[in-house]
């Protein structure tokens, strides 16, 4: 496409955009269980209105836009209140989970250098199920990644003991997930905290999925284990606002136990021709709309609203768990939040994925072991029965050999 010689009328442009969008995943109908967190039209409207109100403002300039600076402080304060942040804890809004993870790792590395604990290359120790954003961040910082096999007891949890053995004097961070993305399982963070404390290593909890879910699940009576700053060994956390915080994309939070730990994150430079500049996260310009929308949604929902939505998600997950077990599937581990993975003992998960995709469902898969994967939203309560019915039909198609006659579906980017 070349830039048009003359501009086009907005109605024509809008019509073309909507036409293109009609070919996308049908997330508004509840038939997508990845990428989008559909909490209802009222929350979507709050997102849009709040984002549009500050879409031109830039979080890079807190002196120019003190309203954004205060909204960011408010969001961080609310986050730390939910996650047992101690006195002096702090953080920042980032563009997403990868940004939050990258900045936490950068802070941990620089802290190790400043404290004289790292001379030369460093490494990071994490479970096999930890998010690949850690590998991406480590690649940028030339850190060795040590991925450790999960427990072999069917729990799909991190093996804290084995991870401890993998640590050495060059380890800058140990990682646990709450929950991990592939299986929806909360790692034994208390065990990892003991390992980190013994080794004198920075412990990061990746709660990108669970940070704005687990606290409310606990309020609703679920036995969520300790995973956040209530454990003194936890140095930093990542928690995505645009997942179960139901904020507009892209918005996440990176949180630190203390100002001293946080101080290793920002980039601050005066040695160039322009004005001195300090940026707290990876980005320079930060969309004001992402900050304002997060602030607005958190205030719109409040504790009561979040508890209602998370209760709806958990009830849906339990219903689907029962339904897939009735179809002969095994649910992996003991998921208790909004993520789950399940496999069939006789039918290959990726073949079933192809069939469920052809029936209009855009979900995901897990590679180890080959499984179907769902990340549920409140909207899925309305379509759970339809999903289970189509899943049953998909299983029959694979069982009867019908799927082998069709063009394979590539699930690599799901």
């Amino acid at each position: 496409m070349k830039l048009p010689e003359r501009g086009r009328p907005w109605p024509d442009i809008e019509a073309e955009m909507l036409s293109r969008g009609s070919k996308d995943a049908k997330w508004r109908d509840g038939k997508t269980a990845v990428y989008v967190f559909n909490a209802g039209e009222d929350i979507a409207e709050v997102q849009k209105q709040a984002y549009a109100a500050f879409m031109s403002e830039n979080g890079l300039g807190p002196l120019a836009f003190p309203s954004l600076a205060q909204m960011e402080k408010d969001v961080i304060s609310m986050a730390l209140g939910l996650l047992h942040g101690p006195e002096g804890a702090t953080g920042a809004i980032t563009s997403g989970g990868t940004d939050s993870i990258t900045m936490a790792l950068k802070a941990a590395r620089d802290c190790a250098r400043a404290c004289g604990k790292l001379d030369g290359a460093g490494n990071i120790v994490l479970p096999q199920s930890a998010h690949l954003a850690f590998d991406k961040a480590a690649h940028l910082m030339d850190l060795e990644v040590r991925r450790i096999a999960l427990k072999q007891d069917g729990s799909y949890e991190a093996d804290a003991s084995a991870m401890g053995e993998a640590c050495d004097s060059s380890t800058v961070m140990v990682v646990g997930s709450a929950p991990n993305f592939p299986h929806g399982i909360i790692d034994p963070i208390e065990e990892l905290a003991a390992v980190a404390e013994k080794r004198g290593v920075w412990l990061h909890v990746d709660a990108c999925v669970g940070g704005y879910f687990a606290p409310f699940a606990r309020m609703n009576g679920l036995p969520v284990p300790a995973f956040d700053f209530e454990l003194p060994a936890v140095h930093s956390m990542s928690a995505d606002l645009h997942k179960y915080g139901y904020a507009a994309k892209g918005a996440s939070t990176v949180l630190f136990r203390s100002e001293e730990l946080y101080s290793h994150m920002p980039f601050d430079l005066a040695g160039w021709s322009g004005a001195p500049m300090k940026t707290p996260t990876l980005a320079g310009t930060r969309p004001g709309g992402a900050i304002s929308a997060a602030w607005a949604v958190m205030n719109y929902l409040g504790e009561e609203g979040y508890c209602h939505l998370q209760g709806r998600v958990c009830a849906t997950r339990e219903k689907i768990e029962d339904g897939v077990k009735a179809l002969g599937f095994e649910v992996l581990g003991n998921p208790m939040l909004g993520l789950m993975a399940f496999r069939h003992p006789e039918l290959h998960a990726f073949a079933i994925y192809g069939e469920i995709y052809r029936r209009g469902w855009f979900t995901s898969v897990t590679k180890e072991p080959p499984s179907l994967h769902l990340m549920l939203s409140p909207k899925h309560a309305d379509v759970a029965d339809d999903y289970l019915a189509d899943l049953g039909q998909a299983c029959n198609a694979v069982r009867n050999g019908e799927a082998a006659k069709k063009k394979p579906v590539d699930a690599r980017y799901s």
Side-chain angles (χ1 to χ4, degrees):
M1 182 177 182
K2 293 182 179 180
L3 183 67
E5 184 176 343
R6 294 182 178 84
R8 298 164 55 191
W10 164 242
D12 292 351
I13 297 170
E14 181 184 31
E16 181 175 341
M17 291 175 70
L18 294 175
S19 175
R20 294 187 181 197
S22 67
K23 300 177 178 62
D24 293 345
K26 301 299 184 283
W27 65 267
R28 292 177 180 84
D29 299 337
K31 302 197 76 171
T32 301
V34 65
Y35 299 132
V36 178
F37 294 79
N38 187 348
E41 294 182 5
D42 60 328
I43 296 172
E45 187 62 21
V46 171
Q47 290 177 0
K48 292 176 184 178
Q49 293 292 338
Y51 198 107
F54 286 85
M55 65 180 239
S56 297
E57 281 74 4
N58 190 341
L60 176 62
L63 292 179
F65 306 110
S67 59
L68 284 180
Q70 186 58 53
M71 281 189 274
E72 180 172 16
K73 290 178 182 177
D74 291 347
V75 168
I76 296 302
S77 179
M78 288 187 278
L80 291 169
L82 291 169
L83 298 169
H84 297 97
E87 185 72 25
T90 188
I93 293 179
T94 70
S95 65
T98 296
D99 193 349
S100 291
I101 287 168
T102 298
M103 298 316 295
L105 184 54
K106 186 263 186 191
R109 182 202 63 179
D110 289 1
C111 180
R113 286 177 175 173
C115 297
K117 295 181 179 180
L118 182 64
D119 182 16
N123 65 74
I124 175 175
V125 176
L126 66 167
Q128 177 64 14
S129 57
H131 200 277
L132 51 79
F134 289 99
D135 299 76
K136 189 174 185 178
H139 175 73
L140 292 172
M141 287 176 259
D142 201 22
L143 296 170
E144 177 193 356
V145 176
R146 299 179 178 177
R147 280 190 176 268
I148 309 303
L150 302 178
K151 291 180 180 178
Q152 299 302 302
D153 59 1
S155 67
Y156 296 92
E157 295 179 353
D159 188 333
S161 178
M163 289 175 64
E165 293 174 3
C167 294
D168 59 24
S169 59
S170 296
T171 301
V172 300
M173 178 183 281
V174 169
V175 174
S177 305
N180 66 48
F181 183 82
H183 314 114
I185 305 300
I186 299 176
D187 284 328
I189 305 300
E190 288 187 86
E191 295 178 23
L192 290 170
V195 167
E197 188 171 16
K198 179 180 179 180
R199 296 280 183 171
V201 176
W202 184 300
L203 173 60
H204 179 84
V205 175
D206 177 22
C208 282
V209 173
Y212 297 101
F213 193 117
F216 305 109
R218 181 180 283 166
M219 292 176 197
N220 283 333
L222 288 181
V224 177
F227 72 96
D228 57 21
F229 289 116
E230 69 178 300
L231 299 171
V234 174
H235 285 55
S236 60
M237 297 185 67
S238 44
D240 284 0
L241 292 157
H242 60 214
K243 287 188 171 72
Y244 289 109
Y246 304 113
K249 296 179 179 63
S252 176
T253 47
V254 58
L255 308 168
F256 297 86
R257 173 168 291 279
S258 68
E259 286 276 1
E260 194 280 327
L261 297 177
Y262 170 89
S263 70
H264 297 284
M265 181 177 74
F267 178 79
D268 192 351
L269 183 68
W272 73 307
S273 301
M277 183 176 291
K278 183 175 184 178
T279 54
T281 64
L282 191 62
T285 288
R286 295 195 293 158
I291 298 171
S292 60
W295 184 90
V297 169
M298 293 178 84
N299 278 281
Y300 177 76
L301 284 173
E303 186 177 295
E304 183 180 21
Y306 276 113
C307 282
H308 170 73
L309 292 173
Q310 314 315 24
R312 187 172 167 89
V313 171
C314 284
T316 303
R317 193 208 70 247
E318 291 171 0
K319 180 176 185 176
I320 292 179
E321 277 194 64
D322 291 341
V324 300
K325 287 176 181 177
L327 292 171
F329 286 88
E330 170 202 355
V331 176
L332 304 187
N334 180 33
M336 63 172 59
L337 302 181
L339 278 175
M340 61 182 296
F342 48 98
R343 62 178 175 176
H344 199 284
E346 301 169 355
L347 309 175
H348 200 287
F350 297 169
I352 301 173
Y353 173 87
E355 284 300 307
I356 202 76
Y357 176 83
R358 292 184 185 96
R359 287 164 172 77
W361 297 92
F362 199 99
T363 60
S364 187
V365 295
T366 291
K367 188 181 73 171
E368 297 176 350
S371 312
L372 297 176
H373 180 278
L374 296 176
M375 179 179 271
L376 299 169
S377 295
K379 177 64 177 179
H380 293 125
D382 299 334
V383 297
D385 289 330
D386 295 336
Y387 174 76
L388 291 169
D390 281 349
L391 182 62
Q393 294 178 14
C395 289
N396 289 334
V398 174
R399 189 177 287 110
N400 297 333
E402 298 172 21
K405 304 173 185 178
K406 301 173 183 176
K407 182 180 178 180
V409 174
D410 190 343
R412 285 178 297 171
Y413 303 105
S414 65

